[in-house]
Amino acid sequence: MMTRVDVFEDIFLVFLGLGTLVGIIVITYTLYNAYKYRDTGDAKADEDLPTLGELPTGGTGGKKLFLSFFLSAIIVISLVLWTYGMLLYVEEGPDGNPGDDALEVDVEGFAFGWNFYYEDGVESSGEMVVPAGETVWIETSATDVWHAFGVSELRVKADAIPGETDETWFVAEEEGEYLIECFELCGAGHSGMEGTLNVTSEAEYEQWHEDQRTLTLTFTDAFDEDDEYVGDLEAFEGTLEHADEDDPVETFSDADVEEGVFQLTVEQGDTYEVVIESPDGDFETVELEVDIVDGPEEDVVFEDPDDDEENDEDDEDDNEDETDDGGDD
Amino acid sequence: MAEDFPPMTSVKRWLVTTNHKDVGMMYLATAIFFLLFGGVMALLFRAHLWESGGAGILSDSAYNQAVTSHGLLMVFWFLSPFAAGFANYFVPLQIGAKDLAFPRLNALSYWFYLFSGVLLMVSFFQGGTFAGGWTMYAPLNVPTYTPAVEATTGGTATILALIMFTLSITLGTVNFLTTIHRSRAEGLGLWNMPMFTWSWLLTVWMMLFAFAALLAALLLLATDRILLTQYFATDQGSGLLWAHIFWFFGHPEVYIVFFPALGIMFETFQTFCGRRLVGRKWVIISLVLVTVQSFLVWMHHMFLTTINLEIKTLFMATTIGISLPFDLMVFALIYTMIKGRVRFTTPFLFSLGALVLFILGGITGVFLGAVVLDYEFRGTYWVVAHFHYVMVSGVTALIAGLYYWWPKITGKMYSETWGKINFAVYFIGFNLLYFPMFLAWETPRRVFHFAPEMQIYHQLATVGAFVFGASFLIMFYTLGKSLVSGPDAPDNPWEFSRTAEWAIPSPPPLENWDGRPSYASGRLEFVEDTPAATDGGTRTSASTSTSTGTATGTGLATAESAALAEHYGHGHEEEHADHASIWPFGIGLSTLVLFLGISGLTPFVAEFAQGTGADIAPDTDPNILYPIVSIVGLGMLLYVLWQFGMESFSAPEMAVAERWPFEGVGNTKLGLWFFLASDVVVFGAALGAFVFMRLHMGWGEWTTVPPVAWPGLLNTYILLTSSFTVILALVMAERGNKKGLIATLGSTLLLGLTFMGVKAWEYSTKFAEGDYWFSGVEYSIYYVTTGLHGLHVILGLLVAGFMIYKVAMYNAYLEDPDAVEHFGLYWHFVDIVWVFLFPLFYLM
């Protein structure tokens, strides 16, 4: 299987070699003739020299002109025909247009960064994680103005136009971090509009996905003011619900909480609602709406049932906004 | 009056002149100024590029403004006007005309050019000039709807400056097309024209159609920015729409800026190799092929967008196709040197240098034509390096032209030593500046963040930029010294030159020559037409003009005495030509004032829109000065246009000329046809925009704006009737029937007013329902397209009113009804456009 890097290097090298060769030959030939036919003051008396006021006629020597022209035309046309085959390969993709198992990522450019959306609902901002050695199909668009997504090292690029979706693919053979840049002027922050492509092993990739689809709940009830774990968590029953479904996706209780922290992984990243109730009414029911798309962390605060005023616990969140319903407003 | 024509030392001379040589010099000088301005922008951002992350010279926004204005200034305000300077000066000389077909319009072209540049300069102070790249991609170019970026008044002023510049170009192209096709000397067929004139002819053919597309794009963009329409603001095809219209212009544009340089290279190679151009016929055919093909390659700027594979393949093929004629032309130049007598003068060094640089640049262009490679080169410095190599190789040839024609224009020679030093520093600076860009090619465009390993290349380029800039200082010194203390130049300082400009004094007299140039005998002669003979009379051979230096009359020309026969002050050529008018200056200035005022109207429109309930907030505070300036500008414009129309200005047509294939039509009528051809493209682009956006949304999903078809149908009948009355008007004029003429012209005017009235009623019913032009893209397109047509109707009505006034007060057109016919032509065009508009907007 040829990666885009392979395709590019092959073609570029040939063009570079041929182009340099042709350039050197033609320019040398030009300069050589300029020197060879420099005016030395000998005028041949019978020569038909150009005179002021004559009507223009073409000089002779057309045959040589046509020979050179056809030669150069053949070179140029053959080169391009050859690349056409490669173009078809690149358009088709290394293993046919995305099969069902293909890894697909939606790339969204905005001023001035990149968001990535995976099929399992995971979202990432600024960093795209993919496994090494696997074909990644990306569909690129933009939310505001025309951007262009590109990873120079992997020879992949796609215009990101609002309202349009540009499809392309790439394969990263080696693990590591690659630079994503924007290749279309998009405003004052265009320069430095960067992102990271993180190429990992298959196992790390799967793990990352799982982490993104994992919600971490920290029960503040089990910690003291110095954030030391003290245990003593109240009993509760919790459910994780999805907007579209009647049955809860998951149920859990205080028994599942380890050292004050409970983690919950879903199959499909999306917006969920966490409901935590006290069976004895010891605290107000906690309702949290969470986007489980990028490994969110939430604090669960148990409020006394009569406490209406205290609601200034802000949740520590990473980088998305959800409504905090840690009490009653 | 010619007797009062001020001397060159007076300021007044330059404000009123319409003479092609004066206008040419003004273009050259002004273009050099904008070259410096654009160059300083480049030096600023190249200095900022000394370190990755920026060296702190420019803020982020200032960086984008510098990069944008550099591109705009160089592409628009320097390259073509500089070439136009040479064209103005030398095309008439080369073809044997005393001036362009429409001298006042020529002066007007210049003043539109100058004042458009002034407006661009003012835009820097209006919150910042345009900062979205010279390619002005959408939706970034309409930031009103995008919260992330700010719309500045300066950005709008930039767009208006470009519109004004496009008006300058359009007038110029109509002028040159008419001149070259109608004012060639006897015996000078199209095939016989010198190569520089050929290259300019094809340049203006391309300009006619390409700039019309640009004008459409700019008008739509201007309505977006000022009236808050939504052509380029949506995510429903706006980005692609701009790309298509802009690049349809943009690709021919690169040949528009290169062809004159190529034409100069053909001239200088022949002169300084002492050989006629090899394969001349094929070179001309290649030039024509490129001219046509230039309109068929534009999507190669869009390979990375969502166009499908079949289209990409087609445009890959056409792109490779267009490189082939250039191959032939390059070889033609090389072979012209063989068996020649090459002299390495300053003009030739610059020409040869241009050829070498163009070869390098052209080869790197083939890389870009291979779609697979373009996928990676897109948006990188490879593109930047490629186009600077080819375009600035064009600049190199233009400088060759400056050194070549300097003695003719100024009558002074310059120091060859200094000229050669100029070339050496130039060539070194050029390659030091642009070659490292190939090595740093992975750097994205318009950024100042790059990988550490690229830093050395960017620093080399920055050093190169300053060396390159310094070479221009040397050029100014060399040419300045020549003006002040250089030796006088002979009529023909260059051995083996052949074209007509070298047969007259340096500098040429106001009327260019005595008598009439003619090639009827097979070579250039200046003929005195006697009243008795139809041809013949005294002939003066071109090669015996008083030439000193190396150019003596070699070859087989018969030597005749330079004494001329007496003038016969009568008949054809002796008709007195005017050279002065202040009104072009006035129109240019008024337009500047008007456009300056319009640039700040957006906040007022936004407030209005808010008032109707639309969710639009103005970006900047309304400033009452702008509406005031707009009104003042409009008043000035109407006044000077009136004066321009009333002025009597004589620009006589040549009595004897080669005119194929336009023998049967007069200058004004031909000029009008050319103008209408470009107007067809403007409307074509506007209608194309409608079709594109509607297809993008889904033809059936589109909200059709007019609720009923009958007003459109009524208006169609009204317009068709008015075409009939305008035909009757011509009949009346031809019969000398004053009352009939006034009646028929008046009827046309009334019908036109009725049309506008029906239109006004239609618009107001839509407004009453809350459907304004900013209410959505369907509405924008309806109002702007019908509005553009309506604007043409209004302009026609103004002209008709003016003509009725002239008939009533001055008995105009009764002896010479041509103007009525011309007006009729324009009016028919306006009707035909409506016939296309009506079904598209009312019936589908």
Side-chain angles (χ1 to χ4, degrees):
Chain A
M1 184 244 291
M2 290 184 82
T3 66
R4 297 187 85 100
V5 178
D6 298 327
V7 172
F8 181 80
E9 308 268 286
D10 279 0
I11 302 183
F12 185 52
L13 243 50
V14 171
F15 269 67
L16 203 56
L18 212 54
T20 310
L21 190 64
V22 170
I24 292 178
I25 291 177
V26 175
I27 292 177
T28 308
Y29 183 69
T30 305
L31 296 175
Y32 165 72
N33 279 306
Y35 177 73
K36 178 173 173 190
Y37 292 102
R38 66 197 183 286
D39 187 20
T40 48
D42 323 319
K44 298 178 189 126
D46 57 346
E47 212 173 324
D48 183 16
L49 295 168
T51 54
L52 182 56
E54 66 177 37
L55 269 180
T57 53
T60 50
K63 283 207 196 81
K64 204 167 172 181
L65 184 64
F66 268 99
L67 185 62
S68 318
F69 168 67
F70 277 121
L71 265 177
S72 66
I74 289 172
I75 294 176
V76 165
I77 293 176
S78 328
L79 265 180
V80 173
L81 280 178
W82 169 57
T83 68
Y84 182 66
M86 290 295 208
L87 174 63
L88 291 178
Y89 169 73
V90 164
E91 292 288 302
E92 199 41 32
D95 32 41
N97 238 287
D100 294 322
D101 302 328
L103 176 59
E104 288 177 22
V105 184
D106 288 345
V107 176
E108 189 181 80
F110 62 93
F112 303 100
W114 301 98
N115 287 329
F116 306 99
Y117 303 88
Y118 293 81
E119 281 183 300
D120 61 355
V122 169
E123 294 173 15
S124 175
S125 188
E127 186 193 31
M128 180 173 168
V129 181
V130 296
E134 222 177 286
T135 309
V136 181
W137 283 87
I138 58 173
E139 303 220 338
T140 310
S141 186
T143 58
D144 42 25
V145 296
W146 193 316
H147 301 270
F149 170 90
V151 183
S152 291
E153 262 186 274
L154 296 176
R155 304 296 181 215
V156 62
K157 199 167 288 173
D159 274 358
I161 309 170
E164 313 291 327
T165 307
D166 197 9
E167 188 181 75
T168 189
W169 64 272
F170 67 91
V171 184
E173 293 190 304
E174 283 184 30
E175 296 177 29
E177 285 193 353
Y178 298 84
L179 182 63
I180 299 171
E181 291 168 293
C182 178
F183 288 82
E184 181 57 51
L185 179 60
C186 52
H190 166 65
S191 186
M193 176 173 156
E194 292 167 356
T196 307
L197 176 69
N198 194 355
V199 181
T200 64
S201 65
E202 181 74 33
E204 283 174 59
Y205 173 72
E206 298 293 340
Q207 183 59 50
W208 178 79
H209 262 268
E210 208 180 289
D211 291 343
Q212 302 302 99
R213 294 192 316 264
T214 299
L215 167 65
T216 304
L217 293 173
T218 305
F219 291 84
T220 59
D221 203 47
F223 294 85
D224 65 10
E225 301 87 48
D226 302 316
D227 282 336
E228 296 277 332
Y229 176 64
V230 293
D232 217 19
L233 184 59
E234 301 243 18
F236 71 83
E237 278 160 20
T239 57
L240 181 77
E241 288 160 15
H242 192 259
D244 298 340
E245 288 159 27
D246 296 324
D247 297 324
V249 175
E250 276 224 22
T251 55
F252 55 97
S253 70
D254 50 296
D256 301 310
V257 178
E258 284 178 36
E259 308 238 325
V261 176
F262 173 62
Q263 288 194 316
L264 197 300
T265 303
V266 292
E267 287 300 308
Q268 181 70 22
D270 209 333
T271 308
Y272 292 88
E273 195 168 88
V274 175
V275 180
I276 295 176
E277 293 180 299
S278 166
D280 306 318
D282 289 331
F283 56 81
E284 291 284 333
T285 302
V286 177
E287 283 171 13
L288 291 171
E289 194 179 80
V290 198
D291 289 330
I292 310 184
V293 291
D294 55 359
E297 293 171 6
E298 292 292 327
D299 282 348
V300 178
V301 183
F302 293 152
E303 312 257 317
D304 289 335
D306 298 325
D307 244 334
D308 288 342
E309 314 310 299
E310 280 187 63
N311 189 31
D312 30 0
E313 295 276 26
D314 294 345
D315 41 71
E316 262 130 47
D317 52 346
D318 302 323
N319 46 11
E320 84 274 80
D321 32 276
E322 10 71 63
T323 49
D324 167 28
D325 205 13
D328 19 20
D329 291 331
Chain B
M1 299 281 113
E3 294 79 16
D4 300 340
F5 200 42
M8 283 205 185
T9 46
S10 81
V11 173
K12 182 174 179 198
R13 159 70 173 256
W14 300 101
L15 296 178
V16 302
T17 184
T18 62
N19 182 264
H20 71 99
K21 297 185 292 300
D22 291 346
V23 172
M25 286 190 275
M26 292 198 286
Y27 265 107
L28 287 172
T30 311
I32 294 281
F33 169 76
F34 286 117
L35 167 69
L36 290 176
F37 190 173
V40 167
M41 291 293 113
L43 291 176
L44 279 174
F45 64 72
R46 280 255 50 105
H48 189 64
L49 277 162
W50 187 258
E51 308 175 347
S52 177
I57 313 258
L58 298 167
S59 71
D60 290 358
S61 163
Y63 184 83
N64 287 346
Q65 289 177 53
V67 159
T68 303
S69 57
H70 166 77
L72 289 173
L73 282 161
M74 292 307 196
V75 173
F76 292 109
W77 277 277
F78 165 59
L79 279 168
S80 280
F82 195 68
F86 290 130
N88 260 289
Y89 204 104
F90 291 105
V91 167
L93 295 181
Q94 287 195 340
I95 63 176
K98 290 205 172 187
D99 208 324
L100 294 201
F102 310 114
R104 284 188 305 170
L105 291 185
N106 196 28
L108 180 57
S109 284
Y110 171 74
W111 294 112
F112 271 152
Y113 160 57
L114 174 70
F115 287 126
S116 70
V118 169
L119 184 57
L120 178 70
M121 292 194 285
V122 170
S123 76
F124 280 86
F125 300 101
Q126 294 174 285
T129 187
F130 193 81
W134 87 274
T135 46
M136 301 177 284
Y137 269 22
L140 182 65
N141 57 15
V142 191
T144 307
Y145 292 97
T146 310
V149 289
E150 269 177 29
T152 60
T153 307
T156 307
T158 309
I159 308 296
L160 291 168
L162 271 169
I163 290 178
M164 204 169 158
F165 178 83
T166 311
L167 296 177
S168 161
I169 294 274
T170 306
L171 283 174
T173 58
V174 168
N175 219 339
F176 274 105
L177 283 171
T178 309
T179 307
I180 296 177
H181 281 292
R182 294 263 316 159
S183 306
R184 295 193 301 280
E186 181 187 16
L188 192 73
L190 279 176
W191 276 113
N192 303 127
M193 294 195 306
M195 290 311 298
F196 177 69
T197 299
W198 254 111
S199 72
W200 186 252
L201 174 64
L202 296 171
T203 302
V204 293
W205 268 114
M206 285 192 282
M207 276 176 167
L208 187 71
F209 297 114
F211 273 89
L214 177 67
L215 182 62
L218 291 172
L219 284 173
L220 302 182
L221 180 58
T223 59
D224 274 8
R225 286 186 74 111
I226 300 171
L227 296 175
L228 304 177
T229 52
Q230 295 183 19
Y231 276 90
F232 299 118
T234 72
D235 60 359
Q236 297 157 61
S238 290
L240 286 176
L241 177 65
W242 174 266
H244 279 297
I245 306 183
F246 180 80
W247 285 118
F248 183 78
F249 149 77
H251 196 83
E253 168 68 357
V254 310
Y255 301 123
I256 287 170
V257 300
F258 189 71
F259 264 29
L262 195 50
I264 291 176
M265 284 163 76
F266 289 129
E267 298 281 6
T268 53
F269 264 73
Q270 291 182 91
T271 299
F272 296 108
C273 298
R275 282 250 294 167
R276 300 178 186 87
L277 183 62
V278 167
R280 180 176 193 275
K281 179 169 86 169
W282 298 106
V283 169
I284 293 177
I285 290 175
S286 298
L287 286 170
V288 172
L289 278 175
V290 171
T291 303
V292 172
Q293 286 176 273
S294 69
F295 288 94
L296 303 174
V297 301
W298 82 92
M299 288 199 217
H300 70 221
H301 299 273
M302 298 167 65
F303 278 149
L304 230 68
T305 64
T306 49
I307 57 182
N308 65 39
L309 178 60
E310 289 76 16
I311 295 185
K312 282 189 216 188
T313 309
L314 173 65
F315 279 88
M316 178 181 82
T318 57
T319 301
I320 293 305
I322 206 172
S323 75
L324 300 180
F326 279 106
D327 286 349
L328 187 140
M329 291 194 274
V330 163
F331 284 122
L333 283 170
I334 298 176
Y335 290 141
T336 303
M337 285 193 296
I338 295 180
K339 300 201 187 129
R341 284 146 288 280
V342 178
R343 283 116 58 223
F344 292 95
T345 58
T346 303
F348 186 67
L349 283 171
F350 273 97
S351 301
L352 184 59
L355 179 63
V356 168
L357 298 170
F358 182 72
I359 290 171
L360 280 175
I363 290 176
T364 60
V366 179
F367 285 66
L368 290 165
V371 182
V372 192
L373 290 182
D374 185 73
Y375 278 168
E376 194 46 36
F377 290 131
R378 149 92 169 109
T380 66
Y381 262 73
W382 185 276
V383 179
V384 176
H386 159 72
F387 70 65
H388 279 95
Y389 259 89
V390 285
M391 293 185 87
V392 188
S393 79
V395 176
T396 315
L398 289 173
I399 295 178
L402 186 60
Y403 276 108
Y404 181 55
W405 279 316
W406 181 265
K408 178 58 58 183
I409 297 175
T410 61
K412 297 278 189 197
M413 280 307 289
Y414 46 82
S415 153
E416 256 302 309
T417 310
W418 275 105
K420 291 185 162 80
I421 294 176
N422 181 186
F423 173 72
V425 177
Y426 179 101
F427 201 77
I428 292 171
F430 181 111
N431 286 294
L432 193 55
L433 167 57
Y434 296 120
F435 196 78
M437 292 185 187
F438 281 117
L439 302 173
W441 73 265
E442 283 163 321
T443 311
R445 288 179 69 172
R446 294 138 168 183
V447 306
F448 43 89
H449 290 78
F450 43 79
E453 55 267 25
M454 306 287 179
Q455 179 162 294
I456 178 66
Y457 301 126
H458 283 287
Q459 290 182 337
L460 279 172
T462 298
V463 170
F466 282 89
V467 173
F468 191 58
S471 78
F472 283 93
L473 295 177
I474 300 176
M475 183 177 92
F476 296 141
Y477 171 73
T478 310
L479 296 177
K481 191 154 98 84
S482 153
L483 266 182
V484 167
S485 61
D488 286 340
D491 290 1
N492 185 8
W494 311 122
E495 190 178 11
F496 306 123
S497 62
R498 297 149 307 109
T499 44
E501 71 267 29
W502 304 110
I504 55 180
S506 305
L510 181 65
E511 300 286 339
N512 295 344
W513 38 65
D514 297 315
R516 165 176 72 81
S518 166
Y519 292 85
S521 68
R523 31 184 340 105
L524 174 64
E525 285 168 338
F526 293 101
V527 180
E528 283 302 324
D529 294 310
T530 65
T534 49
D535 61 356
T538 321
R539 307 183 97 86
T540 309
S541 167
S543 57
T544 59
S545 48
T546 52
S547 50
T548 55
T550 52
T552 51
T554 53
L556 311 166
T558 50
E560 289 187 28
S561 106
L564 300 169
E566 324 85 81
H567 292 262
Y568 292 92
H570 77 99
H572 25 253
E573 297 305 328
E574 281 23 85
E575 192 185 328
H576 174 77
D578 288 317
H579 294 292
S581 170
I582 189 64
W583 303 116
F585 173 81
I587 296 174
L589 183 61
S590 311
T591 310
L592 168 66
V593 173
L594 174 63
F595 278 18
L596 182 57
I598 291 177
S599 70
L601 293 182
T602 313
F604 294 94
V605 180
E607 278 186 353
F608 169 76
Q610 256 188 335
T612 68
D615 183 24
I616 297 173
D619 278 322
T620 48
D621 294 324
N623 183 342
I624 193 67
L625 271 182
Y626 283 109
I628 293 176
V629 170
S630 303
I631 294 175
V632 168
L634 186 60
M636 284 170 69
L637 187 58
L638 289 172
Y639 171 72
V640 293
L641 281 173
W642 171 272
Q643 293 289 6
F644 183 87
M646 296 299 296
E647 183 180 45
S648 127
F649 189 93
S650 166
E653 292 189 18
M654 281 162 63
V656 182
E658 296 294 334
R659 298 199 158 113
W660 187 88
F662 297 113
E663 294 99 333
V665 59
N667 280 7
T668 311
K669 191 159 159 191
L670 185 62
L672 186 59
W673 275 112
F674 286 131
F675 170 74
L676 291 178
S678 96
D679 217 353
V680 166
V681 176
V682 175
F683 275 106
L687 288 174
F690 166 59
V691 172
F692 181 84
M693 295 296 266
R694 186 163 178 180
L695 282 172
H696 194 277
M697 186 185 277
W699 195 266
E701 312 296 319
W702 188 267
T703 311
T704 46
V705 178
V708 282
W710 67 259
L713 189 61
L714 175 63
N715 264 348
T716 310
Y717 290 139
I718 291 174
L719 277 189
L720 289 175
T721 312
S722 70
S723 261
F724 179 61
T725 56
V726 91
I727 293 175
L728 279 182
L730 179 58
V731 172
M732 293 298 163
E734 281 167 347
R735 291 188 190 162
N737 182 340
K738 177 172 173 174
K739 286 205 179 113
L741 179 55
I742 294 181
T744 46
L745 274 181
S747 309
T748 309
L749 180 65
L750 281 174
L751 286 165
L753 284 171
T754 312
F755 173 89
M756 295 306 297
V758 172
K759 191 140 229 75
W761 173 80
E762 272 189 290
Y763 279 16
S764 62
T765 49
K766 296 300 309 181
F767 295 162
E769 291 164 21
D771 293 330
Y772 294 87
W773 55 88
F774 42 78
S775 303
V777 69
E778 297 100 317
Y779 299 97
S780 298
I781 294 190
Y782 168 76
Y783 283 111
V784 171
T785 320
T786 54
L788 183 63
H789 174 264
L791 183 63
H792 278 76
V793 172
I794 292 174
L795 291 174
L797 294 180
L798 284 173
V799 171
F802 178 73
M803 289 174 77
I804 292 174
Y805 170 78
K806 270 188 136 177
V807 175
M809 304 297 292
Y810 302 98
N811 294 338
Y813 320 125
L814 298 168
E815 307 270 305
D816 176 14
D818 281 352
V820 180
E821 186 190 7
H822 300 154
F823 173 73
L825 259 177
Y826 172 80
W827 194 254
H828 295 317
F829 167 75
V830 170
D831 289 350
I832 292 174
V833 170
W834 177 259
V835 168
F836 276 88
L837 267 182
F838 168 61
L840 271 175
F841 282 100
Y842 287 82
L843 301 180
M844 297 177 80

